[in-house]
Amino acid sequence: MHTETQSTCPYCGTGCGVIIESTAGRITGVRGDPTHPANFGRLCTKGSTLHLTAAQPVTLQTRLLAPLHRARRGQAPTAIGWDAALEMAATRFAGIVQAHGPDAVGFYVSGQLLTEDYYAFNKLAKGLVGTNNIDTNSRLCMSSAVAGYKATLGADAPPACYEDLALAQCLLITGSNTAWAHPILFRRIEDARAANPHLKIIVADPRRTETAAMADLHLPILPGSDVMLCHGMLHLMLWEGWVDTDYIAAHTRGFDALKALVRDCTPARVAQTCGITEAQLATAARWFALGGSDAAPAGSGARAPTLSLYCQGLNQSSSGTDKNAALINLHLACGQIGRPGAGPFSLTGQPNAMGGREVGGLANLLSAHRDLADPAHRAEVAALWGVPDVPATPGKTAVEMFQAAADGEIRALWIACTNPAQSLPDQATVRRALERAEFVVLQEAFSTTATAQYADLLLPATTWGEKTGTVTNSERRISRVRAAVPAPGDARHDWVIATEFARRLEARLRPGRPTLFPYETAQPEAGAEAIWNEHRESTRGRDLDITGLSWPLLESRGPQHWPFPEGATEGRARLYEDGIFPTPDGRARFAAAPWRPVAEPRNARYPFSLTTGRLRDQWHGMSRTGTIGRLFGHVPEPCVQLHPQDMELRRLAEGDLVQVASERGAVTLPVQASTDVGLTQAFIAMHWGSEVLGGHGGTRGAALGVNALTSPVFCPISRQPELKHTPVRIEKVDLPWRLLGLAWLPEGEVLSARARIAELMAEFPFAVCVPFSNNAPLSEPGRERHGVLLRAAATQPVPDATLSRIEALLGLAGPDTLRYADRQRGQRRALRLERAGGTADADLRLHAALLAGDIRAESWLRTLLQEEQPAQAYGRLLLAPGAQAPAGALAVQSRGRPVCSCMNVTDAAISGRLAHCRGSDAERLAQLQSALGCGTQCGSCVPELRRMVQACAPAALPAEASI
């Protein structure tokens, strides 16, 4: 029976609605929900492929389907029952708490949990165990935004909404590559620009991202200079009389201190510090203050609205709170807040980081935005939960928690729905913490994460398409999450696992007392609603009051904004429209924090500034997106991007292997030239962890992914680490012996084979193992093929036994394999061909290949294989070395790099078509889309299409038309 279920996307904080299609208990499709106010039916490349990540072959190869226990570290875990697993966990945790105190344990959870999951864990740690050692990967994501809002506006509440994107006359995007990180919001920005050609867009970013490429003004500021930029803009606003003195006087306090601070932030000083021109600074200040206008308003409140969007570029910093506050200062100084089209709008990185903040799921917070430091707030929560008290001492935040575990202070860790062995900075310390902890529990949906290798107990959790509850998106809108299919195997909901563990722990820590967790675990819908109702009551009278909401109302009316207090008929889309803020005197506060440089400046030993960020088609540590090869089409393998001049100076060529090293660790990667990064800057995508990027770094030990490099230094207020800047050195490495293996494999085997191949990466100084696809159009799922690629390098040939193991995993061990070997020269090749479709008269096509030693033939053999071109004309010539196909054979020409994943349109096809397009940029884009279909589905590739259109001159008119 075919069914359709309304739910939400599990990726970014945009909070898109989805309709899940399922048949006979299996997810078969997904499409955007046209009724959901976040996306109105649109989905990005990641969202539109969600159903592929939930396919049964993926589930069987990657999901954790039963509780597992690892009797000894380093051994393979074995299955145990749920009762035994939970009893073991309760016994171990209770023993550690009783012997060493409640702060000897820590809980590290996730912004991808539902609000109900979050609430249960928060109550478990702070109410039952009695420790505030519960933090979340949202600490790496949004804690600076939280601290910035609280420091200035009084509460953690984004004051704007998505509708403001269409109403703003000036849009400042800073520290966010919105085009890739929040693609559906970027579609709304594109719509706003199309409807209002006068909209001014400013983008402040060290890189020329896809977002920056569409800006009217790109400010390529130097890493870490954001506070100075904002102070310099305010300096000019004061000088020119562009501030709103009436608003400042009526609704704020602390402006005199800020005014004195920015007096020295002259245009010349700011330009030098930020690496921009004084003219750029002046334009940004004028447009921001006056809403994109060049003329001052006639009176107070008459100026056109300015909206700002910001994310990790501001948050992930040792001065993250100051960066957020400095931007909010500008809105307050100009009265650009509390009205349509205006306000400081932080974009949430994860699907429910907002919901986690609402229930107090951080080490320094309590439920409903209460402060842990406030005795009255602690008493309120204790009364709600029915416990004597809530601990007053702030808990360990993310970085601190794992440092404490590495030091032996925290002895047990419970990790839920997150992968700290990939995502936290300073991976050497994180791995040491996981190794030293006496007991590590990992509650996860996927068995393939790096953290899973360290867990003593693995508990299978439900994930997208199986869960029920609520999430809150960036605009404070609460949406229902609904289960479309039953949980696979023995997986359980996260809140159910927390509840059933808590009940067993209660029997040991507070025997004979009524349970703190009276939720019906056998009826997930009723149990989740009961938790949500308890959370709802905790918000009564608070800034996020949702006592007017209910699950039936969410069912009947759909997603709703908070606050939505009892008696209200709807939620509030915008905050502070009355100029009254949730502070003791009702006034917003200016934050006068001076600019501080990055925590670890570049130096002679580490002369490059490394930043990390998102790719268009990947998500976090890729435990989900990394299961489908088509999402590797846009960016197929890891690399480090450098400016071409820096490469020339260091005599580096495209594709050369380099070691990127910081004070903490090193990784080896191919180098890629890009004018999108500035001089002495480098960029590596945040997704490349040790699951896909391996090898050993000599004296530095095993490669631990990109976060082996990044710094654990954090903002002293928000405790968010400075992931956006790390000083590194980049040096060419001499690894002359190369290996490339790639093969099509059955869908039900490819991910398991990839995992087994990845286990061999440690035998090479450099190795990458990723899936790939033939990138068939999404509308033709029957054509999709599934492959795995291994790339490696070493100083000398690896043992034949290792190559034989790789060949076997790639399906190259049979007698039908073509082979060539020259042991003396370290050369080895193995290739296998198959008939397309299996019929006797069909074309022969390359099915699997391994090249060892000389891999220059990759330039044409990979094209033959991945693009499924006929290969029967080659025969044994396939074993020939060299970068060119053998003379006399058919020409091998690649279709190019996929740009549009939905329609499988490549850069070569786009460039070829653009050569014949005429007219304006908009006209040529329309002609391109009409001809090829690119960008007409999810639209994630539209920013790149616009770039390509701008870079290509219009086709000349015919001679007779130009007369």
Side-chain angles (χ1 to χ4, degrees):
M1 179 180 174
H2 179 78
T3 59
E4 295 189 344
T5 306
Q6 288 181 300
S7 193
T8 59
C9 177
Y11 292 127
C12 76
T14 302
C16 294
V18 297
I19 296 176
I20 307 172
E21 302 167 6
S22 58
T23 302
R26 294 182 183 177
I27 293 174
T28 56
V30 67
R31 66 183 191 273
D33 184 349
T35 68
H36 198 290
N39 60 315
F40 297 108
R42 287 170 161 169
L43 291 178
C44 70
T45 52
K46 297 182 292 293
S48 60
T49 54
L50 271 167
H51 61 295
L52 301 178
T53 70
Q56 187 181 36
V58 173
T59 296
L60 293 175
Q61 293 175 87
T62 65
R63 290 290 298 275
L64 189 60
L65 298 175
L68 302 176
H69 175 235
R70 185 174 275 116
R72 183 172 298 177
R73 297 278 173 88
Q75 292 183 350
T78 57
I80 59 172
W82 267 110
D83 285 342
L86 292 171
E87 283 294 321
M88 177 189 299
T91 299
R92 294 295 300 272
F93 267 70
I96 289 171
V97 168
Q98 290 164 346
H100 304 285
D103 288 337
V105 302
F107 297 85
Y108 187 59
V109 298
S110 168
Q112 295 170 64
L113 292 174
L114 305 190
T115 300
E116 297 71 28
D117 304 325
Y118 249 126
Y119 187 91
F121 268 112
N122 198 41
K123 190 176 186 180
L124 163 62
K126 296 171 182 173
L128 172 57
V129 176
T131 181
N132 288 316
N133 286 345
I134 176 167
D135 214 48
T136 163
N137 59 19
S138 294
R139 181 70 61 181
L140 313 180
C141 171
M142 300 307 300
S143 54
S144 292
V146 173
Y149 276 138
K150 291 175 68 175
T152 54
L153 308 183
D156 171 23
C161 65
Y162 294 161
E163 290 179 356
D164 290 321
L165 293 168
L167 302 175
Q169 295 297 311
C170 178
L171 180 61
L172 170 64
I173 304 174
T174 178
S176 168
N177 184 11
T178 316
W180 283 9
H182 297 88
I184 299 307
L185 289 187
F186 198 74
R187 302 286 82 75
R188 296 180 74 148
I189 295 171
E190 291 172 332
D191 292 345
R193 163 61 66 80
N196 177 19
H198 300 293
L199 170 66
K200 294 292 193 299
I201 299 178
I202 309 166
V203 174
D205 197 303
R207 294 193 299 138
R208 184 169 173 78
T209 63
E210 299 294 348
T211 306
M214 67 95 70
D216 299 287
L217 175 64
H218 175 213
L219 303 174
I221 60 173
L222 295 173
S225 61
D226 308 79
V227 170
M228 182 62 82
L229 173 67
C230 291
H231 286 355
M233 290 170 66
L234 183 56
H235 177 103
L236 282 172
M237 293 173 189
L238 286 163
W239 182 265
E240 298 291 346
W242 292 334
V243 298
D244 189 334
T245 55
D246 291 343
Y247 188 91
I248 293 170
H251 302 296
T252 73
R253 57 186 168 95
F255 188 63
D256 287 344
L258 179 61
K259 185 177 178 179
L261 176 69
V262 304
R263 184 177 294 119
D264 294 333
C265 298
T266 62
R269 181 188 175 200
V270 172
Q272 182 178 25
T273 302
C274 296
I276 60 176
T277 67
E278 292 184 40
Q280 288 174 319
L281 177 67
T283 300
R286 182 173 67 254
W287 286 355
F288 185 102
L290 307 181
S293 174
D294 289 322
S300 179
R303 68 185 71 206
T306 293
L307 182 73
S308 63
L309 304 177
Y310 50 100
C311 201
Q312 307 310 343
L314 265 61
N315 296 343
Q316 291 177 336
S317 169
S318 58
S319 56
T321 303
D322 295 345
K323 289 181 178 181
N324 277 261
L327 178 59
I328 297 171
N329 285 342
L330 298 183
H331 283 276
L332 295 172
C334 300
Q336 293 283 14
I337 189 172
R339 58 198 185 96
F345 196 175
S346 67
L347 299 181
T348 312
Q350 296 190 89
N352 200 34
M354 283 287 289
R357 289 143 63 181
E358 291 159 18
V359 303
L362 289 170
N364 57 317
L365 299 179
L366 289 173
S367 296
H369 290 176
R370 290 177 174 87
D371 284 325
L372 187 67
D374 188 327
H377 286 185
R378 295 198 303 273
E380 290 170 4
V381 174
L384 175 73
W385 286 345
V387 297
D389 54 53
V390 173
T393 304
K396 301 291 186 186
T397 61
V399 172
E400 296 170 305
M401 184 181 297
F402 283 84
Q403 182 65 63
D407 294 341
E409 181 182 348
I410 289 180
R411 295 168 179 263
L413 287 168
W414 191 297
I415 301 164
C417 193
T418 188
N419 187 14
Q422 188 274 338
S423 59
L424 278 169
D426 188 11
Q427 276 294 304
T429 297
V430 174
R431 307 296 176 106
R432 188 165 68 250
L434 293 168
E435 290 168 350
R436 184 168 184 182
E438 296 174 17
F439 193 59
V440 176
V441 178
L442 177 62
Q443 180 172 321
E444 240 307 347
F446 294 93
S447 62
T448 51
T449 68
T451 305
Q453 303 305 312
Y454 295 88
D456 300 292
L457 188 65
L458 296 99
L459 304 178
T462 54
T463 185
W464 177 83
E466 305 151 9
K467 296 173 73 74
T468 184
T470 61
V471 293
T472 308
N473 72 356
S474 290
E475 62 169 350
R476 298 174 284 102
R477 199 185 285 271
I478 300 171
S479 295
R480 278 298 316 275
V481 173
R482 299 176 179 88
V485 295
D490 289 331
R492 294 182 178 180
H493 298 310
D494 287 287
W495 69 264
V496 170
I497 299 171
T499 294
E500 294 185 345
F501 165 69
R503 290 172 180 169
R504 288 167 169 80
L505 196 59
E506 284 178 315
R508 293 161 170 82
L509 298 183
R510 53 194 310 269
R513 300 183 192 178
T515 182
L516 302 177
F517 299 84
Y519 316 124
E520 182 51 70
T521 59
Q523 300 181 35
E525 194 74 13
E529 183 178 2
I531 296 174
W532 187 83
N533 286 337
E534 188 175 315
H535 157 59
R536 179 184 62 182
E537 184 57 33
S538 78
T539 70
R540 187 176 296 277
R542 303 291 300 163
D543 66 291
L544 71 163
D545 193 326
I546 57 170
T547 51
L549 278 177
S550 66
W551 272 33
L553 189 149
L554 289 172
E555 288 286 348
S556 61
R557 292 178 52 183
Q560 300 295 315
H561 288 288
W562 65 252
F564 198 127
E566 193 170 28
T569 58
E570 61 182 1
R572 196 177 308 155
R574 296 177 189 86
L575 305 180
Y576 318 133
E577 292 174 293
D578 56 3
I580 299 175
F581 296 85
T583 59
D585 60 3
R587 291 172 172 263
R589 296 165 289 190
F590 285 100
W595 169 75
R596 291 181 289 117
V598 293
E600 297 179 354
R602 292 185 298 115
N603 54 53
R605 190 178 178 196
Y606 298 105
F608 284 93
S609 292
L610 171 69
T611 188
T612 62
R614 297 188 188 276
L615 297 176
R616 190 191 75 183
D617 296 349
Q618 297 294 350
W619 174 252
H620 283 201
M622 305 192 297
S623 55
R624 181 185 296 278
T625 55
T627 62
I628 51 177
R630 68 180 303 113
L631 291 182
F632 288 80
H634 190 239
V635 178
E637 299 175 48
C639 70
V640 55
Q641 291 184 338
L642 294 180
H643 193 280
Q645 291 184 28
D646 282 321
M647 290 178 59
E648 183 179 2
L649 185 64
R650 286 158 179 79
R651 298 181 179 179
L652 295 172
E654 187 87 6
D656 280 352
L657 289 177
V658 295
Q659 185 184 74
V660 185
S662 73
E663 290 185 350
R664 286 160 291 278
V667 294
T668 298
L669 291 164
V671 65
Q672 181 184 85
S674 174
T675 55
D676 293 342
V677 297
L679 291 169
T680 71
Q681 295 180 30
F683 175 79
I684 303 175
M686 60 173 279
H687 314 284
W688 306 120
S690 59
E691 295 92 334
V692 295
L693 176 61
H696 55 78
T699 57
R700 289 181 177 266
L704 302 177
V706 64
N707 281 315
L709 307 171
T710 50
S711 172
V713 178
F714 50 67
C715 170
I717 301 172
S718 71
R719 297 296 200 268
Q720 185 160 357
E722 190 157 79
L723 289 166
K724 287 299 181 192
H725 183 267
T726 304
V728 297
R729 66 170 178 265
I730 299 174
E731 299 171 339
K732 186 175 181 179
V733 294
D734 186 20
L735 298 173
W737 187 88
R738 303 296 177 93
L739 179 143
L740 174 72
L742 64 167
W744 297 120
L745 294 171
E747 184 181 8
E749 301 174 14
V750 63
L751 296 175
S752 296
R754 195 216 70 83
R756 291 195 295 273
I757 294 170
E759 293 173 358
L760 301 174
M761 291 195 297
E763 300 192 24
F764 303 91
F766 160 74
V768 167
C769 189
V770 293
F772 66 88
S773 165
N774 59 350
N775 298 304
L778 270 177
S779 59
E780 302 178 47
R783 285 183 50 201
E784 185 95 18
R785 298 197 71 183
H786 309 274
V788 61
L789 177 148
L790 171 67
R791 186 183 301 280
T795 55
Q796 57 188 9
V798 298
D800 285 345
T802 299
L803 295 178
S804 295
R805 291 172 65 189
I806 295 170
E807 287 179 354
L809 291 167
L810 293 175
L812 289 166
D816 56 345
T817 299
L818 298 174
R819 298 184 180 280
Y820 167 83
D822 184 340
R823 185 173 299 176
Q824 185 174 358
R825 291 184 172 87
Q827 303 294 321
R828 179 161 166 160
R829 300 184 193 91
L831 302 103
R832 184 163 64 85
L833 290 85
E834 285 189 356
R835 297 281 180 190
T839 59
D841 59 346
D843 288 335
L844 277 171
R845 296 188 181 170
L846 186 58
H847 194 79
L850 181 136
L851 308 177
D854 178 2
I855 69 166
R856 291 175 297 162
E858 175 190 0
S859 60
W860 58 281
L861 285 178
R862 183 172 179 179
T863 299
L864 274 182
L865 187 147
Q866 193 164 356
E867 298 183 8
E868 302 177 283
Q869 297 185 16
Q872 61 263 25
Y874 294 92
R876 291 189 175 275
L877 294 176
L878 290 168
L879 297 173
Q884 298 296 321
L890 297 173
V892 179
Q893 189 162 358
S894 171
R895 294 180 59 250
R897 178 183 60 88
V899 172
C900 177
S901 297
C902 299
M903 301 296 289
N904 192 20
V905 182
T906 67
D907 56 354
I910 293 166
S911 298
R913 174 53 59 178
L914 280 175
H916 303 286
C917 295
R918 302 185 179 92
S920 66
D921 287 355
E923 290 170 334
R924 288 186 293 141
L925 177 61
Q927 294 165 28
L928 178 68
Q929 292 182 292
S930 176
L932 302 180
C934 49
T936 61
Q937 300 298 306
C938 77
S940 295
C941 63
V942 170
E944 188 167 354
L945 296 179
R946 293 186 190 278
R947 261 203 191 193
M948 297 181 73
V949 168
Q950 293 166 1
C952 180
L957 291 171
E960 61 272 16
S962 62
I963 295 174

